[in-house]
Every structure is written in C-alpha cells, then in structure tokens.
Amino acid sequence: MRHTLAWGAVLLLAGCGEEQEEIHVAAASGLYHVLTDIGASYEAETGTAVVFSFGATGQLTQQIEQGAAFELFLAGEEEYITRLEQGGFVSEGTGIAEGVVTLVSGTESAPYESVHTLLEEDLRTAIPNPEHAPYGRAAHDVLQAEGIWEELSDSFIYANDVRTSLQYVESGEVDAGFAALSLMQDSELPYIELDTALHEPIIQTAAILVQSGKQEEAGQFLDYLQSAEVQAVFQAYGFKPGENAS
C-alpha cells in the first residue's frame, strides 16, 4: 500500500533544455518504502529529483567517512550521526521519526506469540546484523532483556540490513525474521511489534554533509521531511513522530 502525498502538478522539465536538479541522499534501508513515496512527491512539487542510496546505517556511515558524495544522510540511529558530527563530516543531526522493530512469521497463518517462540519451535530466523544495522541492534537488546540471546545467536542467519532480513522471510529461506514496521505495508506476512521499552529508541536522524555543494537544496528537503503533511506519511508507514516535526 502506498501513501502518496497530494501535491501540485508535476513540473514538466523535459524538453526545456535544462538539466534536472537532483540531490543524492544516503538512507537506512528501513526507510525504503516511505522515502520512495516521499521522494516522488517532492520531485513532483519542486522539480528536484531525490536520488536515494539505501543500505545498512553503519555501512553508509563508513562510506561517508571515506568520502562518499551525498548531500544528506538519513541514518537509522542517532548514534551514527553523532559519530559523523564528531568527525566533522555532517552538520548537527535532526530527529525525523522513530522506528519500530517487528518479528515476522513466514510459515504461520498467525503472528508468533512472543520472541520466546523462536526458542520453543527451533525456527530458522533472520536478523539484521546488530554490528551495523539499528533494527538488528534493537532486536538483540530485546532478546538479551528476555534472556534468550545467548541461546539463539549462533543459529541466526545474519542479514546485511533490515530490508534483506525481511526478504529472507518472504522468499521462504527462513521461518521468521526481524524487520521494520515501516517495511510491512506491502507485505501480507503476520508479525508482532517488539516492546520498545526493551531497547534504545530507533531514531531516524538526518544530517547534511559538510562537503556537499548543495547545502541549500539539502536543507530544503530536510525541512520538507519535517513538515506536518510529510510527518503524517511517516506515521502512516508505522513510524512514531519525529522530535522536530512541525
């Protein structure tokens, strides 16, 4: 299901003899669906195309530290923006939305009762790698709090990012997997939401890259993400409101 914004008519740039303006944005994979919709609406409203590069937050952070050319970074966790701030790579971060982690059932007609089902049923389970994927770290913290991480950790199939973890479940490669609520809009698989009290908040945090030659354009898109109408789209995808939403 798509939640497309009702913006004005598309600006027709073809044939005008001018190269279309675009900005390049690195973004956590849990933002894939919502940003795909928002980016299309932003282009329709402004004529500026948003070119996204999706991936695991930790790996995108490393790319930026190695000089990757982006205008804006939308990280899946605030900690990585802080790291880049301290390194002088980005400006001050802005909280956009809060993510929710889910446990997805691939072989059952109903959601699992709890994370303890993974242990009881000896299920093959995918998890985003906690070393660089925020949703994987949150899942780790929940399982640790429930006292079952040590028993399960060696049996997990570790996915590069949260979107890949869900794809493993959808393809039938595993029986269960941890995913982002924001990715479940187009899926018919049953799931449960994990207790947010058992892990640090998954704050989707944005920051403009210091080396970007399009500071103004990146700032305009960042303002757009914080607008009330766009925040409503984030919430429709299962995110909690951002701390700086207007």
Coordinates of all heavy atoms in Angstrom, one line a residue, residues 130-221:
P130 N 23.5 -6.9 14.0 CA 23.5 -5.9 15.0 C 24.7 -5.0 15.0 O 24.7 -3.9 15.6 CB 23.4 -6.7 16.3 CG 22.8 -8.0 15.9 CD 23.4 -8.3 14.6
E131 N 25.8 -5.4 14.4 CA 27.0 -4.7 14.3 C 26.9 -3.4 13.5 O 27.6 -2.4 13.8 CB 28.2 -5.5 13.8 CG 28.6 -6.7 14.7 CD 29.8 -7.4 14.2 OE1 30.4 -6.9 13.2 OE2 30.2 -8.4 14.8
H132 N 26.0 -3.4 12.6 CA 25.8 -2.1 11.7 C 24.4 -1.8 11.4 O 24.2 -0.8 10.6 CB 26.7 -2.2 10.5 CG 26.4 -3.4 9.6 ND1 27.4 -4.4 9.4 CD2 25.3 -3.8 9.0 CE1 26.9 -5.3 8.6 NE2 25.6 -5.0 8.3
A133 N 23.4 -2.6 11.8 CA 22.0 -2.3 11.5 C 21.2 -2.0 12.7 O 21.1 -2.9 13.6 CB 21.4 -3.6 10.8
P134 N 20.7 -0.8 12.8 CA 20.0 -0.4 14.1 C 18.8 -1.4 14.5 O 18.6 -1.6 15.7 CB 19.4 1.0 13.7 CG 20.5 1.5 12.7 CD 20.8 0.3 11.9
Y135 N 18.0 -1.8 13.5 CA 16.9 -2.7 13.9 C 17.5 -4.1 14.4 O 16.9 -4.7 15.3 CB 16.0 -3.0 12.7 CG 15.1 -1.8 12.4 CD1 15.5 -0.8 11.5 CD2 13.9 -1.6 13.0 CE1 14.7 0.3 11.2 CE2 13.1 -0.5 12.7 CZ 13.5 0.4 11.8 OH 12.7 1.5 11.6
G136 N 18.6 -4.5 13.9 CA 19.2 -5.7 14.4 C 19.7 -5.5 15.8 O 19.6 -6.4 16.7
R137 N 20.3 -4.3 16.1 CA 20.7 -4.0 17.4 C 19.5 -3.9 18.4 O 19.6 -4.4 19.5 CB 21.5 -2.6 17.5 CG 22.0 -2.3 18.8 CD 22.8 -1.0 18.8 NE 23.9 -1.0 17.9 CZ 24.7 0.0 17.7 NH1 24.6 1.1 18.4 NH2 25.7 -0.1 16.8
A138 N 18.4 -3.4 18.0 CA 17.2 -3.3 18.8 C 16.7 -4.7 19.1 O 16.4 -5.1 20.2 CB 16.2 -2.5 18.1
A139 N 16.7 -5.6 18.1 CA 16.3 -7.0 18.3 C 17.2 -7.7 19.3 O 16.7 -8.4 20.1 CB 16.2 -7.7 16.9
H140 N 18.5 -7.5 19.1 CA 19.5 -8.0 20.0 C 19.2 -7.6 21.5 O 19.2 -8.5 22.4 CB 20.9 -7.6 19.6 CG 21.9 -7.8 20.7 ND1 22.1 -6.8 21.7 CD2 22.7 -8.8 21.1 CE1 23.1 -7.2 22.5 NE2 23.4 -8.4 22.2
D141 N 18.9 -6.3 21.7 CA 18.7 -5.8 23.0 C 17.4 -6.4 23.6 O 17.4 -6.7 24.8 CB 18.5 -4.3 23.0 CG 19.9 -3.6 22.7 OD1 20.9 -4.3 22.7 OD2 19.9 -2.4 22.4
V142 N 16.4 -6.6 22.8 CA 15.1 -7.2 23.3 C 15.4 -8.7 23.7 O 15.0 -9.1 24.8 CB 14.0 -7.2 22.2 CG1 12.8 -8.0 22.6 CG2 13.6 -5.7 22.0
L143 N 16.1 -9.4 22.8 CA 16.4 -10.8 23.1 C 17.3 -11.0 24.4 O 17.1 -11.9 25.2 CB 17.0 -11.5 21.9 CG 16.1 -11.6 20.7 CD1 16.9 -12.1 19.5 CD2 14.9 -12.5 20.9
Q144 N 18.2 -10.0 24.5 CA 19.1 -10.0 25.7 C 18.3 -9.8 26.9 O 18.5 -10.4 28.0 CB 20.1 -8.9 25.5 CG 21.2 -8.9 26.5 CD 22.3 -9.9 26.2 OE1 22.4 -10.5 25.1 NE2 23.2 -10.2 27.2
A145 N 17.3 -8.8 26.9 CA 16.5 -8.5 28.0 C 15.6 -9.7 28.4 O 15.3 -9.9 29.6 CB 15.6 -7.3 27.7
E146 N 15.2 -10.4 27.4 CA 14.3 -11.6 27.6 C 15.1 -12.8 28.0 O 14.6 -13.9 28.3 CB 13.5 -11.9 26.3 CG 12.5 -10.9 25.9 CD 11.3 -10.8 26.8 OE1 11.2 -11.7 27.7 OE2 10.4 -10.0 26.6
G147 N 16.5 -12.7 28.0 CA 17.3 -13.8 28.5 C 17.5 -14.9 27.5 O 17.9 -16.0 27.9
I148 N 17.3 -14.7 26.2 CA 17.4 -15.8 25.2 C 18.4 -15.5 24.1 O 18.6 -16.3 23.2 CB 16.0 -16.1 24.7 CG1 15.4 -14.9 24.0 CG2 15.1 -16.7 25.7 CD1 14.1 -15.3 23.3
W149 N 19.1 -14.4 24.2 CA 20.0 -14.1 23.1 C 21.1 -15.1 23.0 O 21.4 -15.6 21.9 CB 20.7 -12.7 23.3 CG 21.8 -12.4 22.3 CD1 23.1 -12.5 22.6 CD2 21.7 -12.1 20.9 NE1 23.9 -12.2 21.5 CE2 23.0 -12.0 20.5 CE3 20.6 -11.9 20.1 CZ2 23.3 -11.7 19.1 CZ3 20.9 -11.6 18.7 CH2 22.2 -11.5 18.3
E150 N 21.8 -15.5 24.1 CA 22.9 -16.4 24.0 C 22.5 -17.7 23.4 O 23.2 -18.4 22.7 CB 23.5 -16.6 25.4 CG 24.1 -15.4 26.0 CD 25.2 -14.8 25.2 OE1 25.9 -15.6 24.6 OE2 25.4 -13.6 25.3
E151 N 21.3 -18.2 23.7 CA 20.8 -19.5 23.2 C 20.5 -19.4 21.7 O 20.6 -20.5 21.0 CB 19.6 -19.9 23.9 CG 19.8 -20.2 25.4 CD 18.5 -20.6 26.1 OE1 18.1 -21.8 25.9 OE2 17.9 -19.8 26.8
L152 N 20.2 -18.3 21.2 CA 19.8 -18.1 19.8 C 20.8 -17.6 18.8 O 20.8 -17.9 17.6 CB 18.6 -17.2 19.7 CG 17.2 -17.7 20.3 CD1 16.2 -16.6 20.4 CD2 16.7 -18.9 19.4
S153 N 21.8 -16.9 19.4 CA 22.7 -16.1 18.5 C 23.4 -16.9 17.5 O 23.6 -16.5 16.3 CB 23.7 -15.3 19.3 OG 24.5 -16.2 20.2
D154 N 23.9 -18.1 17.8 CA 24.6 -18.9 16.9 C 23.8 -19.5 15.7 O 24.3 -19.9 14.7 CB 25.3 -20.1 17.6 CG 26.5 -19.6 18.5 OD1 27.0 -18.5 18.2 OD2 26.9 -20.3 19.4
S155 N 22.5 -19.5 15.9 CA 21.6 -20.2 14.9 C 21.0 -19.1 14.0 O 20.4 -19.5 13.0 CB 20.5 -20.9 15.7 OG 19.6 -20.0 16.4
F156 N 21.2 -17.8 14.2 CA 20.6 -16.8 13.4 C 21.3 -16.8 12.0 O 22.5 -17.1 11.9 CB 20.7 -15.4 14.0 CG 19.7 -15.2 15.1 CD1 20.1 -14.5 16.3 CD2 18.4 -15.5 15.0 CE1 19.2 -14.3 17.3 CE2 17.5 -15.3 16.0 CZ 17.9 -14.6 17.1
I157 N 20.5 -16.4 11.0 CA 21.0 -16.0 9.7 C 21.1 -14.5 9.7 O 20.1 -13.8 9.8 CB 20.1 -16.5 8.6 CG1 20.1 -18.1 8.6 CG2 20.6 -16.0 7.2 CD1 19.2 -18.7 7.6
Y158 N 22.4 -14.0 9.6 CA 22.6 -12.6 9.7 C 22.5 -11.9 8.4 O 23.2 -12.2 7.4 CB 23.9 -12.3 10.4 CG 24.0 -12.7 11.8 CD1 24.2 -14.0 12.2 CD2 23.7 -11.7 12.8 CE1 24.2 -14.3 13.6 CE2 23.7 -12.1 14.2 CZ 24.0 -13.4 14.5 OH 24.0 -13.7 15.8
A159 N 21.5 -11.0 8.3 CA 21.3 -10.2 7.0 C 22.1 -8.9 7.1 O 22.4 -8.4 8.1 CB 19.8 -9.9 6.9
N160 N 22.4 -8.4 5.9 CA 23.2 -7.2 5.8 C 22.4 -6.0 6.4 O 23.0 -5.1 7.0 CB 23.6 -6.9 4.4 CG 24.6 -5.8 4.3 OD1 25.6 -5.7 4.9 ND2 24.2 -4.7 3.5
D161 N 21.1 -5.9 6.1 CA 20.3 -4.8 6.6 C 18.9 -5.3 6.9 O 18.6 -6.5 6.6 CB 20.3 -3.7 5.6 CG 19.9 -4.1 4.2 OD1 18.9 -4.8 4.1 OD2 20.5 -3.6 3.3
V162 N 18.0 -4.4 7.4 CA 16.7 -4.9 7.8 C 15.8 -5.3 6.6 O 15.0 -6.2 6.7 CB 16.0 -3.7 8.6 CG1 15.7 -2.5 7.8 CG2 14.8 -4.3 9.3
R163 N 16.0 -4.6 5.5 CA 15.2 -5.0 4.3 C 15.6 -6.4 3.8 O 14.7 -7.2 3.4 CB 15.5 -3.9 3.2 CG 14.5 -4.0 2.0 CD 14.6 -2.8 1.2 NE 14.0 -3.0 -0.1 CZ 14.5 -2.7 -1.3 NH1 15.8 -2.2 -1.3 NH2 13.9 -2.9 -2.4
T164 N 16.8 -6.7 3.8 CA 17.3 -8.1 3.4 C 16.7 -9.1 4.4 O 16.3 -10.2 4.0 CB 18.8 -8.1 3.3 OG1 19.3 -7.1 2.5 CG2 19.3 -9.5 2.9
S165 N 16.7 -8.8 5.7 CA 16.1 -9.7 6.7 C 14.7 -10.1 6.3 O 14.3 -11.3 6.3 CB 16.2 -9.1 8.1 OG 15.7 -10.0 9.0
L166 N 13.9 -9.1 6.0 CA 12.5 -9.3 5.6 C 12.4 -10.1 4.3 O 11.6 -11.0 4.2 CB 11.8 -8.0 5.4 CG 10.3 -8.1 4.9 CD1 9.5 -8.9 5.9 CD2 9.7 -6.7 4.8
Q167 N 13.3 -9.9 3.3 CA 13.3 -10.6 2.1 C 13.6 -12.1 2.3 O 13.1 -12.9 1.6 CB 14.3 -10.0 1.1 CG 13.9 -8.6 0.6 CD 15.0 -7.9 -0.2 OE1 16.2 -8.2 -0.1 NE2 14.6 -6.9 -1.0
Y168 N 14.4 -12.4 3.3 CA 14.7 -13.8 3.6 C 13.4 -14.5 4.0 O 13.2 -15.7 3.6 CB 15.7 -13.9 4.7 CG 17.2 -13.6 4.3 CD1 18.2 -13.3 5.2 CD2 17.6 -13.7 2.9 CE1 19.5 -13.1 4.9 CE2 18.9 -13.5 2.6 CZ 19.8 -13.2 3.5 OH 21.1 -12.9 3.2
V169 N 12.6 -13.8 4.8 CA 11.4 -14.4 5.3 C 10.4 -14.5 4.1 O 9.8 -15.6 3.9 CB 10.7 -13.6 6.4 CG1 9.5 -14.3 6.9 CG2 11.7 -13.3 7.5
E170 N 10.3 -13.5 3.3 CA 9.3 -13.5 2.2 C 9.7 -14.6 1.1 O 8.8 -15.2 0.5 CB 9.3 -12.1 1.5 CG 8.7 -11.0 2.4 CD 8.7 -9.7 1.8 OE1 9.7 -9.4 1.0 OE2 7.8 -8.9 2.0
S171 N 10.9 -14.9 1.0 CA 11.4 -15.9 0.0 C 11.3 -17.3 0.5 O 11.4 -18.3 -0.3 CB 12.8 -15.6 -0.4 OG 13.7 -15.8 0.6
G172 N 11.0 -17.5 1.8 CA 10.9 -18.8 2.4 C 12.3 -19.4 2.8 O 12.3 -20.6 3.2
E173 N 13.3 -18.6 2.7 CA 14.6 -19.1 3.1 C 14.7 -19.3 4.6 O 15.5 -20.1 5.1 CB 15.7 -18.1 2.7 CG 15.9 -18.0 1.2 CD 17.0 -17.0 0.8 OE1 18.1 -17.2 1.3 OE2 16.8 -16.1 0.0
V174 N 13.9 -18.6 5.4 CA 13.9 -18.8 6.8 C 12.4 -18.8 7.3 O 11.5 -18.5 6.5 CB 14.6 -17.6 7.5 CG1 16.1 -17.5 7.2 CG2 13.9 -16.3 7.2
D175 N 12.2 -19.2 8.5 CA 10.9 -19.3 9.1 C 10.4 -18.0 9.7 O 9.2 -17.8 9.8 CB 10.8 -20.4 10.2 CG 11.3 -21.8 9.7 OD1 10.8 -22.2 8.7 OD2 12.3 -22.3 10.3
A176 N 11.3 -17.2 10.1 CA 11.0 -16.0 10.8 C 12.1 -15.0 10.6 O 13.2 -15.3 10.2 CB 10.8 -16.2 12.3
G177 N 11.8 -13.7 10.9 CA 12.8 -12.7 10.8 C 12.5 -11.4 11.5 O 11.3 -11.1 11.6
F178 N 13.5 -10.6 11.8 CA 13.2 -9.3 12.4 C 13.2 -8.3 11.3 O 14.1 -8.3 10.4 CB 14.3 -9.0 13.4 CG 14.2 -9.9 14.7 CD1 15.0 -11.0 14.8 CD2 13.3 -9.6 15.7 CE1 14.9 -11.9 15.9 CE2 13.2 -10.5 16.8 CZ 14.0 -11.6 16.9
A179 N 12.3 -7.4 11.3 CA 12.1 -6.4 10.3 C 11.6 -5.1 10.9 O 11.4 -5.0 12.1 CB 11.2 -6.9 9.2
A180 N 11.5 -4.1 10.0 CA 11.0 -2.8 10.4 C 9.5 -2.7 10.1 O 9.0 -3.2 9.1 CB 11.7 -1.7 9.7
L181 N 8.7 -2.1 11.0 CA 7.3 -2.0 10.8 C 7.0 -1.2 9.5 O 6.1 -1.5 8.8 CB 6.7 -1.3 12.0 CG 5.1 -1.0 11.9 CD1 4.4 -2.3 11.8 CD2 4.7 -0.3 13.2
S182 N 7.9 -0.3 9.2 CA 7.8 0.6 8.0 C 7.9 -0.2 6.7 O 7.4 0.3 5.7 CB 8.8 1.7 8.0 OG 10.1 1.1 8.0
L183 N 8.4 -1.4 6.8 CA 8.5 -2.3 5.6 C 7.4 -3.2 5.4 O 7.3 -4.0 4.4 CB 9.8 -3.0 5.6 CG 11.1 -2.2 5.6 CD1 12.3 -3.1 5.7 CD2 11.2 -1.3 4.4
M184 N 6.5 -3.3 6.4 CA 5.4 -4.3 6.4 C 4.2 -3.8 5.6 O 3.2 -4.6 5.5 CB 5.0 -4.6 7.8 CG 6.2 -5.2 8.6 SD 7.0 -6.6 7.8 CE 5.7 -7.8 7.7
Q185 N 4.1 -2.6 5.1 CA 3.0 -2.0 4.5 C 2.6 -2.8 3.2 O 1.4 -3.0 2.9 CB 3.2 -0.6 4.1 CG 3.4 0.3 5.3 CD 2.2 0.5 6.2 OE1 1.1 0.5 5.7 NE2 2.5 0.6 7.5
D186 N 3.6 -3.4 2.5 CA 3.3 -4.1 1.3 C 3.4 -5.6 1.5 O 3.4 -6.4 0.5 CB 4.3 -3.7 0.2 CG 4.1 -2.3 -0.3 OD1 2.9 -1.8 -0.2 OD2 5.0 -1.7 -0.8
S187 N 3.5 -6.1 2.7 CA 3.6 -7.5 3.0 C 2.4 -8.0 3.6 O 1.7 -7.4 4.4 CB 4.8 -7.7 3.9 OG 4.9 -9.1 4.3
E188 N 2.0 -9.3 3.3 CA 0.9 -9.9 3.9 C 1.3 -10.9 5.1 O 0.5 -11.5 5.7 CB 0.1 -10.7 2.8 CG -0.5 -9.8 1.8 CD -1.3 -10.6 0.7 OE1 -1.3 -11.9 0.8 OE2 -1.9 -10.0 -0.2
L189 N 2.6 -10.9 5.4 CA 3.0 -11.8 6.4 C 2.6 -11.3 7.8 O 2.6 -10.1 8.1 CB 4.6 -11.9 6.4 CG 5.2 -12.5 5.1 CD1 6.7 -12.5 5.2 CD2 4.7 -14.0 5.0
P190 N 2.2 -12.2 8.7 CA 1.9 -11.7 10.1 C 3.1 -11.4 10.9 O 4.2 -11.9 10.6 CB 1.2 -13.0 10.6 CG 1.8 -14.1 9.9 CD 2.1 -13.6 8.5
Y191 N 2.9 -10.5 11.8 CA 4.0 -10.0 12.7 C 3.6 -9.5 14.0 O 2.4 -9.3 14.2 CB 4.8 -8.9 11.9 CG 4.0 -7.7 11.7 CD1 3.9 -6.6 12.6 CD2 3.3 -7.5 10.5 CE1 3.1 -5.5 12.4 CE2 2.5 -6.4 10.2 CZ 2.5 -5.4 11.2 OH 1.7 -4.3 10.9
I192 N 4.5 -9.4 14.9 CA 4.3 -8.7 16.2 C 5.3 -7.6 16.3 O 6.4 -7.7 15.8 CB 4.3 -9.7 17.4 CG1 5.7 -10.4 17.4 CG2 3.2 -10.7 17.4 CD1 6.0 -11.2 18.7
E193 N 4.9 -6.6 17.1 CA 5.8 -5.5 17.3 C 6.6 -5.8 18.6 O 6.0 -6.3 19.6 CB 5.1 -4.2 17.5 CG 4.4 -3.7 16.2 CD 3.6 -2.4 16.4 OE1 3.9 -1.7 17.4 OE2 2.7 -2.1 15.6
L194 N 7.9 -5.5 18.7 CA 8.7 -5.8 19.9 C 8.5 -4.6 20.8 O 8.2 -3.5 20.5 CB 10.1 -5.9 19.5 CG 10.6 -7.4 19.2 CD1 9.8 -7.9 18.0 CD2 12.1 -7.4 18.9
D195 N 8.7 -4.9 22.1 CA 8.5 -4.0 23.2 C 9.6 -2.9 23.1 O 10.7 -3.2 23.3 CB 8.6 -4.7 24.5 CG 8.2 -3.8 25.7 OD1 8.1 -2.6 25.5 OD2 8.1 -4.4 26.8
T196 N 9.1 -1.7 22.8 CA 10.1 -0.6 22.7 C 10.8 -0.2 24.0 O 11.8 0.4 24.0 CB 9.4 0.7 22.1 OG1 8.3 1.0 23.0 CG2 8.9 0.4 20.7
A197 N 10.2 -0.6 25.1 CA 10.8 -0.4 26.4 C 12.1 -1.2 26.6 O 12.9 -0.9 27.6 CB 9.8 -0.6 27.5
L198 N 12.3 -2.2 25.8 CA 13.4 -3.1 26.0 C 14.6 -2.8 25.1 O 15.6 -3.5 25.1 CB 13.0 -4.6 25.7 CG 11.9 -5.1 26.6 CD1 11.6 -6.6 26.3 CD2 12.3 -5.0 28.1
H199 N 14.6 -1.7 24.4 CA 15.7 -1.3 23.6 C 15.7 0.2 23.5 O 14.7 0.9 23.7 CB 15.7 -1.9 22.2 CG 14.5 -1.5 21.3 ND1 14.5 -0.3 20.6 CD2 13.3 -2.1 21.1 CE1 13.3 -0.2 20.0 NE2 12.6 -1.3 20.2
E200 N 16.9 0.8 23.1 CA 17.0 2.2 22.9 C 16.1 2.6 21.7 O 16.0 1.8 20.7 CB 18.5 2.6 22.6 CG 19.4 2.4 23.8 CD 19.0 3.4 24.9 OE1 18.7 4.5 24.7 OE2 19.0 2.9 26.1
P201 N 15.6 3.8 21.7 CA 14.7 4.2 20.6 C 15.5 4.2 19.3 O 16.7 4.6 19.2 CB 14.4 5.7 21.0 CG 14.5 5.7 22.4 CD 15.6 4.8 22.8
I202 N 14.8 3.8 18.2 CA 15.4 3.7 16.9 C 15.1 5.1 16.2 O 14.1 5.1 15.4 CB 14.9 2.5 16.1 CG1 15.0 1.3 16.9 CG2 15.7 2.4 14.8 CD1 14.3 0.1 16.3
I203 N 15.9 6.1 16.5 CA 15.6 7.4 15.9 C 16.2 7.6 14.5 O 17.4 7.6 14.4 CB 16.1 8.5 16.9 CG1 15.6 8.3 18.3 CG2 15.8 9.9 16.3 CD1 14.1 8.4 18.4
Q204 N 15.3 7.8 13.6 CA 15.8 8.0 12.2 C 16.2 9.5 12.2 O 15.5 10.4 12.4 CB 14.6 7.9 11.2 CG 13.8 6.6 11.4 CD 14.5 5.3 11.3 OE1 15.0 5.0 10.2 NE2 14.7 4.6 12.4
T205 N 17.5 9.7 12.0 CA 18.1 11.0 12.2 C 18.8 11.5 10.9 O 19.5 10.7 10.2 CB 19.2 10.9 13.3 OG1 18.6 10.4 14.5 CG2 19.7 12.3 13.6
A206 N 18.6 12.7 10.5 CA 19.1 13.3 9.3 C 20.1 14.3 9.6 O 20.1 15.1 10.6 CB 17.9 13.9 8.5
A207 N 21.1 14.4 8.7 CA 22.1 15.5 8.7 C 22.7 15.8 7.4 O 22.8 14.9 6.5 CB 23.2 15.1 9.7
I208 N 23.0 17.0 7.1 CA 23.5 17.5 5.9 C 25.1 17.3 5.9 O 25.7 17.6 6.9 CB 23.2 19.0 5.6 CG1 21.7 19.1 5.5 CG2 23.9 19.5 4.3 CD1 21.2 20.6 5.5
L209 N 25.6 16.8 4.8 CA 27.0 16.6 4.7 C 27.8 17.9 4.6 O 27.4 18.7 3.8 CB 27.4 15.6 3.6 CG 27.4 14.1 3.9 CD1 26.0 13.6 4.3 CD2 28.0 13.3 2.8
V210 N 28.8 18.1 5.3 CA 29.6 19.3 5.3 C 30.2 19.5 3.9 O 30.3 20.7 3.4 CB 30.7 19.2 6.4 CG1 31.7 20.4 6.2 CG2 30.1 19.2 7.8
Q211 N 30.6 18.5 3.2 CA 31.3 18.6 1.9 C 30.3 18.8 0.8 O 30.8 19.1 -0.3 CB 32.2 17.4 1.7 CG 31.4 16.0 1.7 CD 30.6 15.7 0.4 OE1 31.1 16.1 -0.7 NE2 29.5 15.1 0.5
S212 N 29.0 18.8 1.0 CA 28.1 18.9 0.0 C 28.1 20.3 -0.7 O 28.2 21.3 0.0 CB 26.7 18.6 0.5 OG 25.7 19.0 -0.5
G213 N 28.0 20.3 -2.0 CA 28.0 21.6 -2.7 C 26.5 22.1 -2.8 O 26.3 23.1 -3.5
K214 N 25.6 21.4 -2.2 CA 24.2 21.7 -2.4 C 23.6 21.8 -1.0 O 22.6 21.2 -0.7 CB 23.4 20.7 -3.2 CG 23.9 20.6 -4.6 CD 23.2 19.6 -5.4 CE 23.6 19.5 -6.9 NZ 22.9 18.5 -7.7
Q215 N 24.2 22.6 -0.1 CA 23.7 22.8 1.2 C 22.2 23.3 1.3 O 21.4 22.8 2.0 CB 24.6 23.8 2.0 CG 26.0 23.3 2.1 CD 26.3 22.4 3.2 OE1 25.6 22.5 4.3 NE2 27.1 21.4 3.1
E216 N 22.0 24.3 0.4 CA 20.6 24.9 0.4 C 19.6 23.9 0.0 O 18.5 23.8 0.6 CB 20.6 26.1 -0.5 CG 19.2 26.8 -0.5 CD 19.2 28.1 -1.3 OE1 20.3 28.5 -1.8 OE2 18.1 28.6 -1.5
E217 N 19.9 23.1 -1.1 CA 18.9 22.2 -1.6 C 18.7 21.0 -0.6 O 17.5 20.6 -0.4 CB 19.4 21.6 -2.9 CG 19.5 22.6 -4.1 CD 20.8 23.4 -4.1 OE1 21.5 23.4 -3.1 OE2 21.1 23.9 -5.2
A218 N 19.7 20.6 0.1 CA 19.6 19.6 1.1 C 18.8 20.1 2.3 O 17.9 19.3 2.8 CB 21.0 19.1 1.6
G219 N 19.0 21.3 2.6 CA 18.2 21.9 3.7 C 16.7 22.0 3.4 O 15.9 21.8 4.3
Q220 N 16.4 22.3 2.1 CA 15.0 22.4 1.7 C 14.3 21.0 1.8 O 13.2 20.9 2.3 CB 15.0 22.9 0.3 CG 15.3 24.4 0.2 CD 15.5 24.9 -1.3 OE1 15.5 24.1 -2.2 NE2 15.6 26.2 -1.4
F221 N 15.1 20.0 1.4 CA 14.5 18.6 1.5 C 14.3 18.2 3.0 O 13.3 17.6 3.4 CB 15.3 17.6 0.8 CG 14.7 16.2 0.7 CD1 13.4 16.0 0.2 CD2 15.4 15.2 1.3 CE1 12.9 14.8 0.2 CE2 14.8 13.9 1.3 CZ 13.6 13.7 0.7

